[in-house]
Amino acid sequence: MVLASRVTAPVLEARAMKQRRLWPAFVVLALALVSACGGSGGGSSKGGITVWVDAARLPVAKAYQKAHPDVKMDIVTFDGDGNGATTLQSKIQLWNRAGKGWPDVIFSEQANDPVWMAQKPFDFAATITDLMPDSVLSQWPATSTAQCTVDGRQVCVQDNIAQVVLWVNQKQMDAFGYTVPTTWQEWAALGTKVAKEHPGYIIGNMGESFSHWIYLWGNQCPLSGVDGKTVTINATDQHCTEMADLLDPLIKNGTVPPLGVFTPDFAKQYGGDGDKVLMMPGPSWYSTSVFRDTLHIPAGEMTAANALSWNGETPVTTGQVGGGPWIISKHATDTKDAADFVTYATTEFNPTGKNARGGYPAYKPLADTWLKGMATNHYFAADPTPALKEAADKVWGGWGLVTYPDQPVWSDKVVTKLVAGDSLSSLLHPFGDALADAAKAAGYAVAGS
């Protein structure tokens, strides 16, 4: 008997990164198990595979199930975000003690989950190169493969790349007579102009739990340089302070508000038919998941421009704002079907309509197919794909994945203080200290000042 799933949250890629300032109260595994024959939602000891997915990945699990009726599947939906919550760690430790119950495949919205899953005491993630052929795995970008490699072992494959570009409301830019900026400095200068000439419009936002990935990572601020069990954290490095200095006037004048795009206040102030989003640096999955489905910005307005550079230098972009890894359990009893499912999910599944992918597929041949669909999508004011394709090769590798979560630290130490009126520049030092504390608690040695 097949285990079905019931999901109450919207099926959006954007769900992967939703704002959670009070994250501990909301970190729960929302298991939605409905079965005509019952079931525990654990491992597939009776044959077949058990797959854990978030709401956004539920369509691919159902599609595989429909296309492979001979494969018995238990599909469990859970909250794969949690801003780095430890709930999944507790589950795996419980299964390890019991010696049973492990799912065969897990999709996580947390890019750093494979790091701890591959190490003791969890020891959960299988070596992907033992299960999927090199001819397939070689089609992932090197930066994507690097994020899935732990202690020299590839333990996951990314679902999509979350490269950051500059999203632009081309209709409003043309109406105001503005030129799309190419550098952070031009973008900031335009923000000052917008505040005077068109108050109420915004050019970005700083209220996400991942805003530091977009802005600080975008200027190579050294907050997560990993070398074995040592992590470099230097929040007062010039690359950090100069970005903070650039952002502070924009936060103050209201063009970069400390609000998250998934909050009701943001949608009310900046979304809808009277949308006030002039520009917004953000990942590829913002394309429809945020602008169309969350903010309800009308068709024919938004498109993507190239990632911003710092003073004309070669631009770098973030690649960790979503994306999400697929992990196969080393305890899987049917590794062939588990690997076949992950291969299907990452290299074949590319639907249209309401279940269409919001994010840029990490697997290159599928990315080419996705780009063709985006290029002809009538929602956009102009073809967004050249900028998306360009940014896919500009992901800076200076931030490594670690076992501890940094999103809650940013939300607690920075976002809440920005709302209270503090400057970003004044918050960098305590933010760095809090990151260092989190790193040490996770067993890392900390370098930097």
Side-chain angles (χ1 to χ4, degrees):
M1 186 69 67
V2 174
L3 185 68
S5 298
R6 174 168 55 87
V7 180
T8 58
V11 182
L12 298 173
E13 172 65 23
R15 175 180 161 87
M17 309 300 299
K18 64 188 175 186
Q19 180 70 16
R20 292 183 178 176
R21 293 179 190 163
L22 300 177
W23 67 278
F26 294 97
V27 171
V28 293
L29 281 175
L31 302 180
L33 306 177
V34 179
S35 175
C37 59
S40 65
S44 50
S45 59
K46 296 181 180 180
I49 56 174
T50 296
V51 176
W52 280 33
V53 293
D54 66 346
R57 253 52 55 168
L58 183 59
V60 68
K62 288 184 173 180
Y64 181 85
Q65 187 177 61
K66 183 177 180 180
H68 300 80
D70 55 323
V71 177
K72 179 183 176 183
M73 286 185 69
D74 288 351
I75 303 172
V76 179
T77 59
F78 79 111
D79 180 358
D81 184 11
N83 283 353
T86 58
T87 311
L88 192 54
Q89 293 184 353
S90 299
K91 285 284 186 183
I92 292 177
Q93 288 178 312
L94 178 63
W95 296 325
N96 287 348
R97 288 194 295 271
K100 61 181 180 180
W102 308 278
D104 301 284
V105 177
I106 290 180
F107 175 87
S108 172
E109 295 172 3
Q110 292 297 311
N112 64 330
D113 275 353
V115 180
W116 59 261
M117 284 186 181
Q119 301 180 58
K120 293 181 179 180
F122 308 101
D123 202 23
F124 175 85
T127 302
I128 288 288
T129 50
D130 293 341
L131 305 174
M132 294 173 63
D134 290 343
S135 59
V136 174
L137 294 175
S138 63
Q139 296 297 317
W140 267 262
T143 51
S144 176
T145 300
Q147 286 195 357
C148 278
T149 301
V150 180
D151 295 333
R153 188 168 64 93
Q154 185 176 349
V155 296
C156 66
V157 287
Q158 276 191 309
D159 183 82
N160 58 83
I161 302 173
Q163 73 274 38
V164 169
V165 295
L166 178 65
W167 292 101
V168 176
N169 190 318
Q170 192 63 60
K171 178 183 176 182
Q172 292 290 359
M173 292 285 285
D174 291 345
F176 295 161
Y178 293 153
T179 300
V180 176
T182 60
T183 69
W184 285 105
Q185 286 71 25
E186 291 173 354
W187 171 81
L190 187 53
T192 300
K193 193 173 183 180
V194 168
K196 296 177 181 177
E197 297 179 352
H198 302 282
Y201 282 82
I202 63 172
I203 66 167
N205 73 308
M206 283 293 292
E208 312 302 342
S209 63
F210 50 86
S211 289
H212 55 307
W213 297 351
I214 293 175
Y215 295 100
L216 298 184
W217 190 339
N219 192 36
Q220 304 181 45
C221 170
L223 294 179
S224 187
V226 179
D227 182 9
K229 290 297 290 184
T230 299
V231 59
T232 298
I233 300 171
N234 187 359
T236 56
D237 179 88
Q238 177 183 347
H239 292 86
C240 313
T241 58
E242 61 188 9
M243 178 59 84
D245 289 341
L246 180 141
L247 287 166
D248 274 332
L250 305 174
I251 298 170
K252 186 175 181 179
N253 70 24
T255 57
V256 182
L259 284 175
V261 294
F262 303 106
T263 60
D265 285 346
F266 193 97
K268 182 178 179 180
Q269 288 185 240
Y270 307 113
D273 291 337
D275 59 277
K276 302 291 186 179
V277 178
L278 189 63
M279 294 181 286
M280 182 172 287
S284 58
W285 53 266
Y286 272 26
S287 55
T288 53
S289 294
V290 168
F291 302 120
R292 185 190 66 189
D293 300 335
T294 301
L295 300 181
H296 305 297
I297 294 176
E301 298 191 11
M302 301 301 299
T303 191
N306 285 338
L308 296 168
S309 68
W310 189 265
N311 271 335
E313 300 172 1
T314 300
V316 299
T317 185
T318 309
Q320 191 175 309
V321 188
W326 290 95
I327 307 106
I328 298 176
S329 169
K330 68 189 307 180
H331 306 287
T333 55
D334 188 345
T335 55
K336 179 179 179 298
D337 283 340
D340 187 63
F341 168 75
V342 171
T343 301
Y344 174 87
T346 54
T347 70
E348 295 184 46
F349 184 69
N350 192 47
T352 57
K354 67 176 182 178
N355 290 330
R357 284 175 173 266
Y360 189 110
Y363 181 71
K364 186 180 182 303
L366 192 59
D368 293 339
T369 302
W370 183 84
L371 286 166
K372 290 177 183 177
M374 291 289 282
T376 57
N377 190 324
H378 296 300
Y379 175 74
F380 300 104
D383 183 1
T385 61
L388 293 168
K389 194 170 183 178
E390 174 77 12
D393 296 321
K394 296 290 191 298
V395 176
W396 182 53
W399 277 31
L401 297 180
V402 291
T403 59
Y404 57 90
D406 65 344
Q407 286 176 262
V409 180
W410 173 264
S411 294
D412 179 50
K413 298 298 182 181
V414 178
V415 175
T416 56
K417 303 296 192 299
L418 292 176
V419 172
D422 290 1
S423 69
L424 178 58
S425 297
S426 70
L427 299 171
L428 287 179
H429 195 282
F431 174 55
D433 288 346
L435 283 179
D437 289 342
K440 292 171 184 176
Y444 287 89
V446 177
S449 58

